[in-house]
Amino acid sequence: MADYLKATSRADIAEEAAKYSKLLLTPDNGCQYDQLIELDLTTLEPHVNGPFTPDLAHPISKLGNNAKKSDWPVEIKVGLIGSCTNSSYEDMARCATIAKEALNHGRKSKIPFNVTPGSEQIRATIERDGIAQTLREFGGTVLANACGPCIGQWDRKDVKKGEKNTIVSSYNRNFTGRNDANAATHAFVTSPELVTALAIEGRLDFDPTKDSIKGADGKEFKLNNPFGDELPAKGFDPGQDTYQAPPADGSAVSAVVDPKSNRLQLLEPFKPWDGKDLVDLTILIKVKGKCTTDHISAAGPWLKYRGHLDNISNNMFLTATNADNNEMNKVKNQCTGEWGSVPDTARAYKAKGISWVVFGDENYGEGSSREHAALEPRHLGGLAIIVKSFARIHETNLKKQGLLALTFADTKDYDKVLPTDKVSLVGLDEFTPGKPLKCILRHADGSCDEILLNHTFNTQQIQWFKSGSALNRMKQLAATMSNS
């Protein structure tokens, strides 16, 4: 890591970290451990995870059989490497060695093979060093150094929506419909090297660590272990510098947006806390099971509205499962009794000045740390998200938008929540770090359940809530400083 920091003009950070290496990374003299675990990495078999979740792992030697038993398409339609994850210079170089070996035997990728450089620096450097060209000769298409198919920005034409198929990528997520908006796409994730090797045969039942490949001359060969330099010998090429520094004095700068635009919209500050307890909140949805940021704020075609908060909010909770009916995007309006989509119901509540709350399951908000998954609930009238547990980054994003991110002190209390309940969060005048909040569930029959909710708010984050958002708080502090 120190070498990488130095190679990217951050030697000062490496030097500062080195001062604490012995203190933080070295055990105390004579320390005792309860358990010692030794891992022999030479025995670790490459794995492929999926489909539909990064949690389902398969050793490459068992992937083919597992796919056949589960009726997953064994034929791979597309291989994709790169994205912000798994796109270092070494990653790309290792893939290029596999590509060269295949080319030397007259073989190329059997399937479409897409390469997404992780940054402008990586793009420029692999172009300069011939790595990108090798991947093109292998049959690859080098895409822009942007999110691309990883986040659904993929105008895929080779299969129809609803057609069952398999793709393999080195992206960081593979949730249902994430890459191509096709719920029938079985997306698997693995290392860029393994994606490249699998692309040669185009099948999940090919094990590149053991199986032979037939060359163009009919002779069989096996792939060698890939190798790539960690850092480029010529240093990194920074590529095109498109950064425009802001003016030193921005007081005369104004942002003008056409009010008729459906792509851009100026943000309106969220309302600050009024100093009172949150009483009789309506439940918008009680989410059952996995609820990632893709479930909360779908990507793909929706991303064209990412500069327009109101329009993109129409994607909120589209694929989250409602515990009330086990269906997606169908909730009951507790005022009218009518069933409708989640965003439409939220808008109906907001129009009547009804604030709402969402209840969720374990690891709520896992996945990409997209800001809109926190912005949208706040924009449409949400005040609190109460779950069994949070994914850490999403929890912080909720706090930044002035939402109460709370967890059940007893996870079994999730089962006490009924869709018709009115929810009150009391004792907010004593909202302090480490002190649980009290929640009262008032059921339709008049009975009540009182439960405790934990939180991880620190003093600064509590100020975000009271101010209405972190941005509001920053503006308050800036105004105070300018007036002093």
Side-chain angles (χ1 to χ4, degrees):
M1 178 56 74
D3 290 339
Y4 176 76
L5 290 171
K6 292 174 183 176
T8 52
S9 303
R10 290 176 286 181
D12 55 332
I13 298 177
E15 292 171 2
E16 188 66 21
K19 297 177 183 179
Y20 303 96
S21 61
K22 290 185 178 180
L23 178 65
L24 299 176
L25 303 177
T26 304
D28 297 334
N29 290 330
C31 65
Q32 299 294 318
Y33 295 96
D34 293 329
Q35 185 181 14
L36 290 175
I37 301 174
E38 293 185 6
L39 299 177
D40 183 354
L41 298 184
T42 63
T43 65
L44 183 61
E45 185 176 350
H47 279 58
V48 178
N49 291 29
F52 308 125
T53 174
D55 300 326
L56 184 60
H58 316 271
I60 186 62
S61 61
K62 297 180 180 179
L63 176 62
N65 285 334
N66 290 349
K68 293 169 185 175
K69 289 178 182 177
S70 303
D71 194 29
W72 301 329
V74 175
E75 179 189 3
I76 304 171
K77 289 290 188 180
V78 184
L80 310 101
I81 64 170
S83 84
C84 63
T85 306
N86 296 322
S87 60
S88 68
Y89 183 84
E90 183 179 9
D91 288 328
M92 297 291 104
R94 288 165 67 90
C95 292
T97 64
I98 295 172
K100 283 183 179 178
E101 190 170 8
L103 289 167
N104 288 339
H105 290 86
R107 292 294 303 271
K108 294 184 177 182
S109 176
K110 192 174 182 179
I111 57 177
F113 183 74
N114 295 325
V115 181
T116 304
S119 67
E120 171 60 13
Q121 178 175 265
I122 291 297
R123 184 206 64 77
T125 306
I126 65 173
E127 288 286 2
R128 183 200 65 193
D129 292 353
I131 292 174
Q133 183 57 31
T134 297
L135 296 174
R136 290 190 186 97
E137 292 171 1
F138 179 66
T141 300
V142 180
L143 307 177
N145 49 294
C147 288
C150 179
I151 199 171
Q153 294 174 308
W154 183 10
D155 187 17
R156 191 177 179 194
K157 302 293 188 182
D158 62 302
V159 297
K160 297 179 181 179
K161 290 288 179 65
E163 181 180 340
K164 194 174 177 180
N165 73 101
T166 285
I167 64 172
V168 181
S169 81
S170 67
Y171 297 160
N172 51 9
R173 298 290 186 270
N174 63 331
F175 301 129
T176 301
R178 163 152 178 144
N179 303 128
D180 60 0
N182 182 5
T185 293
H186 293 52
F188 294 82
V189 291
T190 186
S191 68
E193 302 98 293
L194 206 49
V195 174
T196 307
L198 288 170
I200 299 171
E201 291 293 298
R203 296 182 60 83
L204 293 179
D205 54 3
F206 168 61
D207 181 356
T209 67
K210 299 176 182 176
D211 297 342
S212 297
I213 303 170
K214 184 176 289 187
D217 58 2
K219 295 180 180 179
E220 294 189 343
F221 69 98
K222 290 183 179 180
L223 293 172
N224 294 309
N225 289 330
F227 174 81
D229 291 325
E230 180 182 1
L231 299 171
K234 299 178 183 178
F236 284 104
D237 184 335
Q240 299 179 29
D241 184 6
T242 57
Y243 174 71
Q244 294 182 357
D249 180 7
S251 58
V253 176
S254 61
V256 180
V257 175
D258 184 349
K260 297 179 182 179
S261 172
N262 66 358
R263 301 285 290 272
L264 294 176
Q265 178 188 48
L266 294 177
L267 292 174
E268 294 291 332
F270 296 130
K271 291 182 180 179
W273 177 54
D274 63 5
K276 301 177 183 179
D277 287 338
L278 305 182
V279 178
D280 285 345
L281 302 177
T282 294
I283 298 175
L284 175 64
I285 183 173
K286 179 183 176 182
V287 177
K288 177 182 179 181
K290 185 185 287 288
C291 188
T292 71
T293 49
D294 283 84
H295 294 87
I296 304 167
S297 176
W302 288 100
L303 292 179
K304 62 177 175 285
Y305 300 124
R306 60 190 179 275
H308 197 294
L309 179 56
D310 194 55
N311 281 347
I312 199 171
S313 293
N314 288 321
N315 73 359
M316 189 180 73
F317 289 112
L318 293 185
T319 56
T321 300
N322 183 3
D324 188 25
N325 56 9
N326 290 317
E327 294 188 46
M328 294 187 294
N329 199 30
K330 187 177 181 180
V331 295
K332 181 182 284 189
N333 185 316
Q334 298 302 325
C335 297
T336 66
E338 297 178 352
W339 291 87
S341 74
V342 183
D344 284 349
T345 305
R347 288 186 186 280
Y349 290 153
K350 182 179 181 180
K352 294 191 175 204
I354 299 172
S355 298
W356 47 264
V357 60
V358 166
F359 286 91
D361 217 318
E362 298 281 4
N363 204 24
Y364 178 94
E366 69 171 293
S368 297
S369 55
R370 60 191 66 166
E371 204 76 18
H372 289 92
L375 278 164
E376 292 172 27
R378 185 74 162 101
H379 172 64
L380 293 184
L383 292 182
I385 309 293
I386 303 170
V387 300
K388 292 181 181 179
S389 65
F390 281 107
R392 177 181 55 82
I393 296 177
H394 182 65
E395 180 183 18
T396 302
N397 284 346
L398 292 170
K399 295 176 184 178
K400 286 192 294 183
Q401 304 308 333
L403 283 151
L404 286 173
L406 308 169
T407 56
F408 295 102
D410 182 350
T411 56
K412 291 191 291 293
D413 287 338
Y414 170 89
D415 298 323
K416 296 178 180 178
V417 179
L418 303 175
T420 54
D421 287 349
K422 292 295 183 180
V423 182
S424 296
L425 301 173
V426 299
L428 287 174
D429 57 334
E430 298 179 356
F431 188 16
T432 53
K435 183 177 180 179
L437 291 175
K438 185 186 297 183
C439 174
I440 299 172
L441 302 172
R442 181 164 62 84
H443 306 303
D445 62 4
S447 64
C448 292
D449 274 308
E450 186 175 301
I451 63 177
L452 287 179
L453 302 174
N454 294 330
H455 66 85
T456 60
F457 282 80
N458 58 33
T459 301
Q460 181 188 51
Q461 292 167 342
I462 291 174
Q463 285 299 325
W464 296 349
F465 164 72
K466 292 180 177 180
S467 300
S469 71
L471 184 57
N472 287 359
R473 180 59 178 165
M474 290 170 62
K475 289 182 176 180
Q476 291 172 355
L477 294 173
T480 300
M481 293 175 63
S482 64
N483 293 329
S484 62

